[in-house]
Amino acid sequence: MHVKLNGKDHSLEGVHTVASLLANAGVDAKTVVVELNGTILREPEFAGAAIAEGDEVEVVHFVGGGSGAAAANDDALVIGGKRLGSRMFLGTGKFGNDALIPCCVKAAGVDVVTVAMRRVDFGAPQGNIVQQIPKSCTLMPNTSGARNAEEAIRIARLGRAAGCGDWVKIEVVSDSANLLPDNDETLKAVDALVREGFTVLPYMLPDPYAARRMAEAGAAAVMPLGAPIGTNRGFRTRELVQIMIDELEGVPIVVDAGIGKPSEAAECMEAGASAVLVNTAVATAADPVRMAAAFAKAIEAGREAYLAGPGAVSGHASASSPLTGFLRKEA
C-alpha cells in the first residue's frame, strides 16, 4: 500500500490504522496531531482511523519557535479576556538545549510562551517541546512556515487540536529572503480564525492602516516587528510603531522580532507598547537564563517609565539649579 506521509511517498505492508503507523515508527501518540486526508484527528481517534491506498497523512508536533500567576494590579495586561502578570512573551526557538526553556520561563516570570509546529521526522522522532513548558503558561502556537492564509489557518487548527487552546500567533511569510510578514494574507487568516473562536495575535509589518483592519477583524492584539526576525538589530521601526500606539486606542501592541538587548525592550515599553516578545536574544545569549531575567526587568522598568510620564524633550539647555551668581556681585 502506498500513501503520502508528511509530503513523501511511503510504502506500508498489511492493514494499518493511524495508531499502528505511529506505534511501528516509535512515535508517542500523545505528543502528536494527525491530519488524515485533510481531517484532523485526536489521539482517541487514532485506533479507529484506517489508512487506505493513496491516503495523505500528516503527523506534526510542537518544536521551539517562535509561570507565575497574573498579578492583581490595576496595570495588568488583558488580552483576549486573559489577565497577564508579565508583559514579556517568550519564544522557544534556537535554544541549544530545550531544558533551558523552563529555567528561562521561571527567571523571567513570563505568562505567554510561543511554540511552532513541524512535521514529525519518522527517521528520528523527537520529544514534544510542550513538555518543557510549565503548565501555568499560556501556550501560543505560531503559524511559522505558512506562506499564505490557507496554510496559516490549517496550522492554527492543528495547534488547537493538539490541546494548546485558542491562542494563536498568525505568521505568514512568503518572502524567504528577508522573512517579512505578508500583511494582506495575514489579514485574511485573522478574519477566518476569529470567526472560528481563536484569540488571534497577528505578526505584521508596522502599518497603522493594516493594523486597524486587523483589529476591526477581531485581532486581540497586533504584533509589529521591531526589526527583521532573528537579527537582534533593535527597535528600528519605532516611528511607525509609535503611530500605531498613538492611533489604535484600546488595541494592545506587542513588539515582536529583532529586539536584541534589554535596553531595546525597555525602549519599546517607554514608547507605550503593551508587551514585547523575545526569542533569539535570549536563546543565543551566553547565559540565556540570566538574559531572560534581564529582559523581564527591563520591560518592567520601561513600563514604569511610561506610566511615570517622561519629561518633555527640549532643543535648548535649561539648568536644573538656579544660575544666581552668589559668589560675585550682580550687575
Side-chain angles (χ1 to χ4, degrees), residues 215-250:
E216 290 172 348
V222 292
M223 306 180 72
L225 59 81
I229 191 168
T231 62
N232 284 347
R233 289 169 58 189
F235 196 15
R236 297 297 184 92
T237 59
R238 174 162 185 160
E239 291 192 15
L240 288 172
V241 173
Q242 188 69 67
I243 294 173
M244 292 171 57
I245 292 169
D246 294 342
E247 296 294 326
L248 299 177
E249 185 176 353

Side-chain angles (χ1 to χ4, degrees), residues 2 6 53 98 107 154 159 193 209 212 239 251 277 320 324:
H2 295 86
N6 281 355
E53 176 73 28
D98 288 347
R154 184 180 176 190
L193 291 171
Y209 296 108
R212 187 177 298 280
E239 291 192 15
V251 180
L277 192 155
S320 57
T324 305

Side-chain angles (χ1 to χ4, degrees), residues 158-198:
L158 286 167
R160 182 157 65 180
C164 285
D166 295 326
W167 277 50
V168 62
K169 173 189 168 184
I170 298 301
E171 189 172 329
V172 180
V173 176
S174 54
D175 167 23
S176 59
N178 299 299
L179 303 180
L180 299 177
D182 184 330
N183 284 355
D184 292 337
E185 289 295 308
T186 297
L187 176 58
K188 294 176 187 177
V190 170
D191 184 64
L193 291 171
V194 167
R195 294 175 188 274
E196 294 186 18
F198 283 89

Side-chain angles (χ1 to χ4, degrees), residues 89-169:
F89 295 4
L90 182 67
T92 52
K94 301 184 180 179
F95 280 89
N97 182 351
D98 288 347
L100 287 169
I101 294 172
C103 300
C104 290
V105 168
K106 181 178 180 180
V110 299
D111 293 318
V112 178
V113 178
T114 68
V115 292
M117 296 200 78
R118 290 292 182 271
R119 287 168 166 166
V120 170
D121 182 354
F122 279 83
Q126 298 174 333
N128 193 328
I129 198 170
V130 171
Q131 297 170 348
Q132 299 286 353
I133 300 171
K135 295 186 183 300
S136 57
C137 291
T138 294
L139 282 178
M140 183 164 66
N142 66 49
T143 64
S144 169
R147 296 161 295 180
N148 53 50
E150 182 180 357
E151 292 179 356
I153 293 166
R154 184 180 176 190
I155 295 170
R157 290 170 177 165
L158 286 167
R160 182 157 65 180
C164 285
D166 295 326
W167 277 50
V168 62
K169 173 189 168 184

Side-chain angles (χ1 to χ4, degrees), residues 225-317:
L225 59 81
I229 191 168
T231 62
N232 284 347
R233 289 169 58 189
F235 196 15
R236 297 297 184 92
T237 59
R238 174 162 185 160
E239 291 192 15
L240 288 172
V241 173
Q242 188 69 67
I243 294 173
M244 292 171 57
I245 292 169
D246 294 342
E247 296 294 326
L248 299 177
E249 185 176 353
V251 180
I253 308 294
V254 182
V255 179
D256 177 14
I259 303 303
K261 300 181 182 68
S263 58
E264 296 160 357
E267 182 183 0
C268 296
M269 300 305 295
E270 289 170 357
S274 301
V276 179
L277 192 155
V278 187
N279 186 175
T280 300
V282 171
T284 61
D287 185 339
V289 177
R290 191 168 189 174
M291 185 61 78
F295 264 100
K297 293 173 183 175
I299 289 169
E300 182 179 353
R303 179 63 180 176
E304 287 297 313
Y306 170 75
L307 294 175
V313 176
S314 173
H316 303 283

